[in-house]
């Protein structure tokens, strides 16, 4: 009996070192979660966000502080985000945010970074 024909091929994720079992993941050498995270980080980097802003955005996403609200006819996605300190709710898209920092427009807020990452 040929065991190699019946045993599914496995590989290790190049990002997190987890064992990959699905044929698609084995072929890509990266799992679906790590692929999504890499895509989000690439989108944030391409948009020019600072590393500290991307880290805060990652925390916001992990804590569930951002949720999709709707998709506009133009294809832009709108999110509802919560302030870390005050608990206020802001409307956020990759293009702008209603938080005080977003309204000033001087610096890109981490809400926008999170929206950019989730829209990727």
């Amino acid at each position: 009996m040929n065991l190699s024909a019946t045993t599914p091929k496995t590989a290790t994720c190049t990002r997190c070192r987890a064992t990959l079992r699905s044929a698609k993941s084995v072929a890509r050498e990266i799992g679906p979660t790590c692929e999504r995270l890499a895509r989000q980080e690439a989108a944030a980097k391409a948009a020019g966000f600072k590393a500290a802003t991307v880290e805060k955005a990652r925390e916001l996403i992990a804590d569930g502080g951002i949720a999709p609200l709707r998709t506009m006819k133009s294809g832009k996605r709108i999110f509802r985000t919560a302030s870390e300190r005050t608990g206020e709710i802001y409307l956020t898209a990759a293009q702008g945010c209603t938080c005080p920092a977003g309204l000033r427009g001087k610096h890109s807020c981490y809400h926008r970074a999170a929206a950019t990452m989730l829209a990727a």
Side-chain angles (χ1 to χ4, degrees):
M1 178 175 186
N2 186 356
L3 288 178
S4 62
T6 58
T7 306
K9 294 189 182 218
T10 61
T12 302
C13 178
T14 56
R15 185 179 169 113
C16 71
R17 302 306 209 203
T19 301
L20 303 173
R21 290 180 180 83
S22 79
K24 193 175 184 181
S25 294
V26 169
R28 287 188 318 230
E29 297 181 345
I30 190 168
T33 301
C34 288
E35 181 186 24
R36 177 179 46 82
L37 293 173
R39 187 177 60 245
Q40 290 175 349
E41 289 171 5
K45 185 177 180 181
F49 292 105
K50 295 178 181 178
T53 304
V54 173
E55 185 58 36
K56 280 191 81 170
R58 224 183 270 129
E59 288 177 25
L60 181 70
I61 293 168
D63 293 344
I66 183 167
L69 189 60
R70 64 178 175 264
T71 302
M72 305 298 288
K73 290 180 183 178
S74 63
K76 295 178 183 174
R77 294 179 67 191
I78 307 293
F79 297 90
R80 184 185 330 213
T81 56
S83 169
E84 185 178 54
R85 288 180 278 150
T86 64
E88 289 184 63
I89 302 296
Y90 306 118
L91 295 179
T92 307
Q95 299 77 18
C97 182
T98 61
C99 74
L103 293 175
R104 282 192 303 267
K106 193 172 183 181
H107 303 288
S108 295
C109 64
Y110 67 97
H111 305 119
R112 276 187 55 203
T116 300
M117 291 168 75
L118 289 179

